[in-house]
Amino acid sequence: MSEAPARCGVIGFPLAHTRSPELHRAFAEQCGLAQGYSVLAVPDSDFEPAVRTFFANGGCGLNVTLPYKQRALELADSASERAVRAGAANVLARQALGTVLADNVDGVGFLRDLKRLQFDPRDSKVCMLGAGGAAAGVTGALLEAGVGAVGVLNRSVGRAQSLISRMDDRRVTELSGEGGTFDLVINATSASLANECPEFPDELVGRATLAYDLVYAREPTPFMQRAAGLGARVSDGWGMLVEQAAESFFVWHGVRPDTDPLRLETR
Ligand code: NDP
């Protein structure tokens, strides 16, 4: 690795617990690619100037995390279709002429992890708990993948309705009283971060359900524990985190790292 390292990083606030640097260091090593990776924990008023300075100084790409995913989409010169549909960007990438592209790789990361779990989303019936940026990215990807139906249940009804109108697809509806059991129940709320479980009726989950918490956790989250108690197969979001990091690496460098060793070893 003799060339100058491509400058990449993650921007958000706070960033004390980010796992992105270790994932990206391992990807760069695996691919024999020189990449420096910085952690930019910037307060609210500094977000746009920090991004502009980063790219003006030759930066190659940024991962964007809470609370800046929407502002990242707004400040970029162009955006991918998946970022526009999600209304949020978690990747910024410098383009050939120095312009900045906004992208969203949450959905593709989620679909790759579903594949590992041998869950085929085609024609499946999905319940989406939560209606924030991650729910939007994942719902868009599920629609692309041919999902049968997505019922959205969120603490604040207004946000669920905004997600449904943003998706603009008759397969995405508010969860009705007679939803029955779902093939896949996704916890796309941030409740697990507060060690809480979002409210949902027991009947959504059965023995054939895959219950997936987007939050990555070393121990089962309250959502995973409850779903397992109802007979479901469960997963946390570590695999998705690794896959979306690999996809952002691909967006920046055009090389896709092998995620298997990282998913198994880095944890
Ligand atoms: P947002 O802040 O955009 O949305 C948060 C959502 O959680 C909202 O729907 C909110 O409801 C809901 N919520 C928050 N607290 C509770 C609670 N106590 N009970 C019920 N609902 C609650 O966050 P994101 O969509 O960006 O992220 C959601 C989660 O997904 C985060 O925990 C994040 O760590 C995880 N994530 C994981 C990724 C991975 O790669 N594994 C990638 C991206 C995100 P309301 O609208 O009512 O406020």
Side-chain angles (χ1 to χ4, degrees):
M1 290 193 213
S2 54
E3 75 271 31
R7 293 182 53 236
C8 298
V10 55
I11 189 163
F13 195 82
L15 276 177
H17 303 293
T18 178
R19 305 285 303 269
S20 295
E22 65 190 275
L23 291 173
H24 279 278
R25 257 193 301 275
F27 288 154
E29 207 174 295
Q30 185 198 106
C31 298
L33 205 147
Q35 177 185 261
Y37 196 89
S38 334
V39 174
L40 307 177
V42 299
D44 195 70
S45 57
D46 291 351
F47 173 70
E48 283 81 4
V51 171
R52 290 209 178 89
T53 304
F54 178 86
F55 285 108
N57 290 339
C60 167
L62 285 173
N63 289 123
V64 183
T65 187
L66 294 175
Y68 301 131
K69 291 184 181 182
Q70 200 173 334
R71 279 160 68 183
L73 179 64
E74 284 158 13
L75 75 62
D77 301 299
S78 60
S80 66
E81 212 177 302
R82 57 194 179 182
V84 172
R85 191 171 209 186
N90 67 346
V91 176
L92 292 172
R94 186 188 169 87
Q95 304 293 276
L97 297 173
T99 57
V100 175
L101 169 81
D103 202 351
N104 189 311
V105 296
D106 278 341
V108 71
F110 177 74
L111 288 185
R112 292 225 176 95
D113 205 35
L114 274 193
K115 195 169 178 194
R116 172 185 70 88
L117 293 163
Q118 298 181 326
F119 182 95
D120 184 351
R122 274 174 302 172
D123 299 323
S124 66
K125 198 175 142 198
V126 177
C127 170
M128 181 67 66
L129 303 173
V138 166
T139 304
L142 284 168
L143 292 171
E144 290 286 312
V147 73
V150 181
V152 181
L153 182 62
N154 191 49
R155 185 175 58 178
S156 63
V157 176
R159 208 161 174 203
Q161 286 165 346
S162 306
L163 172 66
I164 292 162
S165 45
R166 169 178 291 286
M167 292 301 134
D168 192 23
D169 188 300
R170 57 173 179 75
R171 289 173 289 172
V172 186
T173 55
E174 264 187 275
L175 193 73
S176 70
E178 301 97 42
T181 302
F182 285 77
D183 302 314
L184 174 63
V185 177
I186 301 168
N187 182 15
T189 76
S190 41
S192 300
L193 298 177
N195 209 29
E196 290 171 5
C197 184
E199 283 184 26
F200 63 87
D202 281 354
E203 76 228 25
L204 302 190
V205 176
R207 300 187 69 79
T209 303
L210 171 63
Y212 192 107
D213 197 329
L214 296 197
V215 168
Y216 61 94
R218 287 198 168 88
E219 302 297 329
T221 62
F223 167 78
M224 289 163 69
Q225 290 175 33
R226 183 166 161 213
L230 293 166
R233 182 161 70 109
V234 298
S235 176
D236 78 326
W238 172 249
M240 171 180 171
L241 186 81
V242 173
E243 294 296 346
Q244 64 82 33
E247 186 67 17
S248 60
F249 192 90
F250 176 74
V251 170
W252 299 331
H253 306 304
V255 183
R256 189 168 275 123
D258 178 7
T259 50
D260 279 349
L262 267 139
R263 210 187 45 251
L264 299 170
E265 287 164 24
T266 319
R267 191 149 203 181

